[in-house]
Amino acid sequence: DNAVVWVEKDEVKSILVVMPRLVSDILSKEVFDKKMPYIFSSATLSEGGSFDYIAKSLGIEDYTSFSVDSPFDYDEVMKIKITPFDKERVAEKNKAVLQMIRENNGSSLLLFPSLEEMEAFKQQSMQEQFDFPIFFEGEEEISKIVKQFQSDEASVLCSYHLWEGLDIPGQSLNNVIIFNLPYPPNDPVFQAKRGAVKDPFHEVDMPYMLLRLRQGIGRLIRTSSDEGTVHILCDQDVSPEVLQSIKEVLPVEPEIQG
């Protein structure tokens, strides 16, 4: 009852994975019960001014927090466009994204919620010709791909992991395309998290998605001289509640396409 267990298989081996059902329980007892200070600093720790989600995820019960205003004038340097797509027409969506990066002459970061969505996009992109290189996570060691992307200002980087930690200022990255709303995967870890709460969507899925979304948007403006556009793609049947929650965490008023 206290562990999440699953098997991962490939062509040559099988791996048995055993991990705590809720990491917060371990951290609470083994780390944060210690009488010593811990400092967490990030642009995406809070949600609607509250730090409760990240604190609960880490098993922190008692904490002090504060926020400071961003040094960037987002209204002047950032545009955000939300575009709905029919989730059944994947090829049509991929084609629209390819057109977006063409119109921007590359210099784009594409963030995918899953490897499967990135691979489907990759297969379709390989059927067309571009005046700039498109790099995909997994083709080479990640640090090498990031360096190539940064060095070639017209290139495009496609990734499903680099929602955070990627720091590319300047013209190499002036266009971020979020391929879909980044809900958590339906894997054993998140299944366990959902099973431990009364309202899985509002207590697990939605907070994770909004946090991940803010992290992805944060890849665009890294210095006071940066500017560009963020495209957020979503399903046509996204609920008004979810859309409103997204608007509330965005640094600028979005333009709704379609």
Side-chain angles (χ1 to χ4, degrees):
D1 291 340
N2 293 322
V4 181
V5 183
W6 71 92
V7 175
E8 298 178 356
K9 294 183 177 182
D10 60 25
E11 294 179 355
V12 296
K13 63 182 180 298
S14 297
I15 301 175
L16 177 67
V17 183
V18 182
M19 67 174 292
R21 184 173 64 87
L22 295 176
V23 177
S24 57
D25 293 343
I26 306 298
L27 292 175
S28 178
K29 295 176 183 177
E30 303 297 333
V31 178
F32 299 120
D33 267 358
K34 311 294 183 184
K35 299 300 180 181
M36 61 185 296
Y38 295 87
I39 299 174
F40 296 86
S41 176
S42 171
T44 54
L45 284 177
S46 64
E47 180 193 348
S50 171
F51 293 81
D52 287 347
Y53 173 71
I54 190 68
K56 186 177 180 180
S57 299
L58 296 172
I60 301 172
E61 297 180 358
D62 184 25
Y63 65 91
T64 301
S65 64
F66 69 93
S67 299
V68 296
D69 292 335
S70 170
F72 303 129
D73 188 351
Y74 287 114
D75 285 327
E76 294 295 326
V77 298
M78 175 188 287
K79 293 181 180 179
I80 298 181
K81 300 180 179 181
I82 299 177
T83 306
F85 285 92
D86 186 337
K87 59 185 175 183
E88 302 299 327
R89 299 182 177 180
V90 178
E92 185 177 303
K93 181 179 181 180
N94 289 340
K95 184 176 181 179
V97 172
L98 291 170
Q99 183 60 27
M100 288 178 189
I101 63 176
R102 273 202 177 92
E103 291 175 353
N104 197 65
N105 295 314
S107 303
S108 301
L109 171 68
L110 274 64
L111 293 172
F112 295 83
S114 69
L115 171 61
E116 291 75 19
E117 287 173 292
M118 189 185 78
E119 286 295 328
F121 176 81
K122 180 179 180 180
Q123 293 304 315
Q124 190 162 337
S125 69
M126 292 172 63
Q127 301 173 21
E128 302 191 28
Q129 298 293 323
F130 299 90
D131 296 329
F132 43 79
I134 302 180
F135 304 117
F136 288 88
E137 179 182 347
E139 291 181 330
E140 294 186 76
E141 205 277 325
I142 190 65
S143 61
K144 182 177 181 180
I145 292 177
V146 170
K147 186 176 181 179
Q148 291 173 325
F149 173 60
Q150 188 170 18
S151 299
D152 188 336
E153 290 189 352
S155 64
V156 173
L157 174 60
C158 299
S159 172
Y160 60 100
H161 275 138
L162 296 176
W163 292 77
E164 55 183 315
L166 182 68
D167 187 14
I168 308 289
Q171 288 303 306
S172 291
L173 203 174
N174 58 40
N175 189 42
V176 174
I177 300 175
I178 296 173
F179 193 80
N180 213 342
L181 298 183
Y183 285 107
N186 191 31
D187 62 18
V189 175
F190 278 97
Q191 288 175 4
K193 288 184 177 183
R194 294 182 183 103
V197 298
K198 294 181 179 179
D199 187 349
F201 182 74
H202 290 97
E203 295 184 59
V204 176
D205 292 1
M206 180 89 92
Y208 177 95
M209 182 272 288
L210 294 174
L211 174 62
R212 202 69 163 161
L213 190 64
R214 291 174 61 207
Q215 289 172 334
I217 292 169
R219 299 313 96 211
L220 182 66
I221 306 299
R222 308 303 297 173
T223 70
S224 58
S225 61
D226 288 340
E227 61 181 2
T229 303
V230 175
H231 296 270
I232 301 174
L233 315 185
C234 62
D235 293 338
Q236 280 184 336
D237 59 357
V238 62
S239 71
E241 177 199 7
V242 170
L243 196 58
Q244 181 59 34
S245 296
I246 291 172
K247 290 181 180 179
E248 290 173 358
V249 303
L250 299 180
V252 299
E253 184 70 23
E255 176 184 340
I256 309 298
Q257 306 286 299

